[in-house]
Amino acid sequence: MAGYSDVLIGLQYGDEGKAKIIDLLANDYEIIARFNGGCNAGHTIEKNGIRLALHQIPSGVFYPNKTLYIGSGCVVNIDKLKEEIKDVEKEGIVLKNRLHISSLASVVQPHHIIIDSLTAGSIGTTKNGIGPCYADRAARISKERLLNIRMGDLLEDEDYYFGKIEENLKATIEQFEIDFDLSKTMATLKDDFNAIKEFVEVDTLFMDKQINMGKNVLFEGAQSFMLDVTKGTIPCVTSSNTQVGAAYVGGDLNPKYHRKTFGVAKVIMSRVGNGPFVSEFGGEKSEKYCMYHKREDESGRDALALLASEDDFEMGIGMRLLSNEYGASTKRPRRTGAFDLVQLNYAVKTNGIDELFLTKCDLLNLYTKTNKQKMPLITKYQLDDQKIDFVPASSRTYYRVQPTIEYRDIFSGDITQLETVEELPRELKEFVKEVEDYANCKVMGIGTGPERNDYLLF
Ligand code: IMP
């Protein structure tokens, strides 16, 4: 009997807390697989006092018997992956024969990182070379210079393909006229590849064979739906397809094994980098501020006083401090905003989400300390004289959308210690019901606190 595959994605702008849900679902699967992105993703997981910052290795490392797969839709930063593997193994966690990297996954080459740093401009990328790497994958060659180098290529002929990487690096150094230690970079890259090459999977039918042995797969999305390169808030998006269907392209399995789709949404929303965010506290001012400030700039401020401010921008800073919304990879302040039901519904419909998980519900009590003392909710979008129920194709248009904000009563107590959903405050149960009705989708669970076990399932 063949197994099945499920897909889990974030429905907003990333950082919804997907790793925690994967952790709680992981028992049902033998394989946890990534299908998009690279080391631009980042999450910290913790178990028995061991804290790991993961960027490329799929979640589920703490389960010794799970297979971890990095699919062909991913782009691999070899140097950083080597470090990540070292960090994981240092904790006594075995990856040998567990971690498999598709031969078809593209290598993030040194010139990609240079180009990302020099040209990505106002998108506010993570500067990991993700965009230039996907661009080279699509461009394939430039005047007979081979642009897309895959992990399997390096395995097949190191001398030849490292030569190609060096050619690309030289061309970029010349193009931008920069000082760069080419030989040191190449030497490190070769050494690091040698340290990780045992993990490269040459069998391009690996996933198909696994599922036909009865194994179940959970595909773990990176970056989230609103950052999808086709459907997101273009151009301020990542460079890969983050939507559910992409799991069956970049995850190296055909779609007939698909069973179920999970979506994760954070009830106080956040976004890192630029781009439309209609429910942002402090709007445009906050967007600009977050681009040019660091965590240290606000760490000494009185969070509760800020939260109580009449000014939404100040309130947003208080919310960020109290909900600790700073980038895991970049440490940048994340822009924060109210829960947007219109956008959620759009994401649920576009991706065919079967079950929703709402994270950070414990923090909704912060709204009782705001000036309005109620929870704001975006319930409608108005574009000029029209009501719309979708995210516009153009970001310029999306910036013009006027959201309708409705206010709901919210609980003031601490829900972290509650053990059953029956004990949840009435206001939270009503909120969950409102989400289910609005998006016509079941809520399977909620996050009730920062720890691994702080969640309740419905
Ligand atoms: P890139 O993926 O590094 O090219 O960055 C493109 C945009 O996606 C930027 O706004 C980043 O901040 C955002 N981004 C990339 N990865 C993540 C993530 O894992 N969480 C949240 N935002 C991300």
Side-chain angles (χ1 to χ4, degrees):
M1 270 284 281
Y4 57 78
S5 54
D6 292 343
V7 184
L8 180 143
I9 63 161
L11 298 177
Q12 299 158 331
Y13 299 105
D15 310 311
E16 295 92 349
K18 296 181 283 283
K20 180 168 171 170
I21 327 299
I22 290 162
D23 205 40
L24 82 93
L25 293 175
N27 261 331
D28 297 342
Y29 307 90
E30 285 75 33
I31 304 175
I32 315 286
R34 287 266 310 258
F35 61 87
N36 74 302
C39 66
N40 48 348
H43 50 253
T44 308
I45 51 169
E46 224 172 323
K47 191 182 176 188
N48 302 335
I50 304 174
R51 202 178 155 84
L52 291 171
L54 298 182
H55 297 278
Q56 299 182 87
I57 300 177
S59 306
V61 274
F62 283 132
Y63 294 82
N65 49 352
K66 307 271 176 235
T67 297
L68 307 168
Y69 185 74
I70 298 177
S72 64
C74 297
V75 292
V76 181
N77 181 316
I78 291 171
D79 304 328
K80 289 198 174 168
L81 184 60
K82 183 206 140 191
E83 286 307 310
E84 216 174 305
I85 290 171
K86 211 166 89 187
D87 287 348
V88 171
E89 290 185 331
K90 206 164 64 196
E91 300 297 345
I93 297 168
V94 178
L95 290 174
K96 200 174 172 59
N97 300 324
R98 278 182 71 200
L99 176 65
H100 299 255
I101 306 164
S102 165
S103 288
L104 304 169
S106 295
V107 176
V108 177
Q109 302 169 52
H111 77 284
H112 294 142
I113 299 166
I114 298 173
I115 294 172
D116 201 14
S117 304
L118 296 178
T119 65
S122 62
I123 296 176
T125 72
T126 62
K127 298 192 168 63
N128 280 303
I130 308 296
C133 185
Y134 281 112
D136 270 359
R137 175 185 276 196
R140 297 150 295 159
I141 58 167
S142 169
K143 297 186 186 144
E144 297 315 311
R145 186 156 50 79
L146 194 60
L147 298 176
N148 181 24
I149 314 290
R150 288 96 37 88
M151 294 299 281
D153 293 334
L154 294 180
L155 208 58
E156 181 192 270
D157 189 336
E158 278 186 44
D159 285 345
Y160 181 77
Y161 287 103
F162 274 116
K164 297 291 164 198
I165 292 179
E166 194 166 325
E167 273 177 30
N168 291 332
L169 182 54
K170 266 191 197 138
T172 300
I173 292 172
E174 279 164 24
Q175 184 192 349
F176 291 98
E177 298 176 350
I178 49 170
D179 253 352
F180 196 87
D181 194 340
L182 180 139
S183 44
K184 187 172 162 212
T185 302
M186 289 307 301
T188 309
L189 190 64
K190 285 177 196 172
D191 281 353
D192 289 348
F193 178 70
N194 274 299
I196 66 160
K197 67 182 181 190
E198 63 173 300
F199 298 106
V200 180
E201 177 54 66
V202 291
D203 186 350
T204 47
L205 273 178
F206 175 77
M207 290 291 274
D208 185 76
K209 287 176 187 160
Q210 293 290 312
I211 212 159
N212 276 297
M213 283 191 273
K215 299 198 177 158
N216 298 332
V217 179
L218 179 64
F219 285 113
E220 160 188 24
Q223 280 90 41
S224 300
F225 175 59
M226 290 309 299
L227 295 177
D228 184 275
V229 68
T230 322
K231 300 258 168 53
T233 52
I234 295 168
C236 294
V237 290
T238 192
S239 320
S240 62
N241 281 114
T242 58
Q243 54 193 301
V244 167
Y248 293 96
V249 181
D252 310 320
L253 190 67
N254 77 60
K256 78 174 178 194
Y257 299 105
H258 183 71
R259 185 190 68 140
K260 208 182 224 185
T261 309
F262 301 105
V264 185
K266 188 157 67 175
V267 293
I268 300 171
M269 290 174 60
S270 75
R271 174 166 197 165
V272 274
N274 283 341
F277 181 5
V278 290
S279 62
E280 182 168 13
F281 302 130
E284 200 186 332
K285 185 172 174 190
S286 165
E287 179 175 4
K288 288 210 175 96
Y289 167 94
C290 289
M291 189 70 181
Y292 298 108
H293 284 79
K294 296 201 184 73
R295 182 186 201 127
E296 307 87 83
D297 298 336
E298 44 193 43
S299 53
R301 300 192 64 187
D302 182 342
L304 281 173
L306 287 161
L307 191 67
S309 169
E310 271 179 40
D311 179 345
D312 264 4
F313 168 71
E314 299 275 308
M315 189 271 252
I317 298 178
M319 196 55 101
R320 175 162 53 249
L321 281 162
L322 292 162
S323 56
N324 196 25
E325 289 289 1
Y326 298 90
S329 294
T330 61
K331 315 280 180 240
R332 284 182 287 178
R334 294 182 186 144
R335 303 156 61 194
T336 53
F339 196 59
D340 183 342
L341 283 168
V342 185
Q343 191 189 86
L344 180 85
N345 178 56
Y346 170 74
V348 166
K349 298 287 182 297
T350 313
N351 289 287
I353 302 298
D354 296 304
E355 295 188 21
L356 279 168
F357 197 102
L358 303 177
T359 55
K360 287 199 161 182
C361 283
D362 53 306
L363 293 174
L364 289 174
N365 63 4
L366 290 174
Y367 283 121
T368 59
K369 301 193 172 78
T370 59
N371 184 256
K372 295 232 166 35
Q373 298 179 9
K374 285 177 184 263
M375 169 177 64
L377 267 185
I378 307 301
T379 55
K380 288 188 193 102
Y381 280 1
Q382 185 80 22
L383 182 61
D384 303 325
D385 55 359
Q386 263 192 322
K387 186 184 155 218
I388 57 167
D389 63 356
F390 54 87
V391 171
S394 148
S395 285
R396 288 174 69 193
T397 305
Y398 202 11
Y399 271 116
R400 285 200 294 113
V401 162
Q402 291 299 321
T404 300
I405 307 173
E406 294 183 26
Y407 290 87
R408 306 279 184 261
D409 289 336
I410 198 66
F411 60 95
S412 57
D414 180 10
I415 61 164
T416 309
Q417 306 305 326
L418 299 184
E419 285 176 1
T420 63
V421 286
E422 288 73 33
E423 296 168 81
L424 288 173
R426 173 187 54 83
E427 297 89 341
L428 185 50
K429 286 183 188 156
E430 284 172 6
F431 167 63
V432 168
K433 175 87 172 59
E434 181 167 1
V435 173
E436 287 186 325
D437 290 347
Y438 196 105
N440 194 18
C441 186
K442 179 181 157 46
V443 172
M444 64 173 290
I446 59 168
T448 56
E451 301 304 324
R452 213 167 160 245
N453 293 323
D454 292 337
Y455 63 84
L456 287 172
L457 296 181
F458 285 87

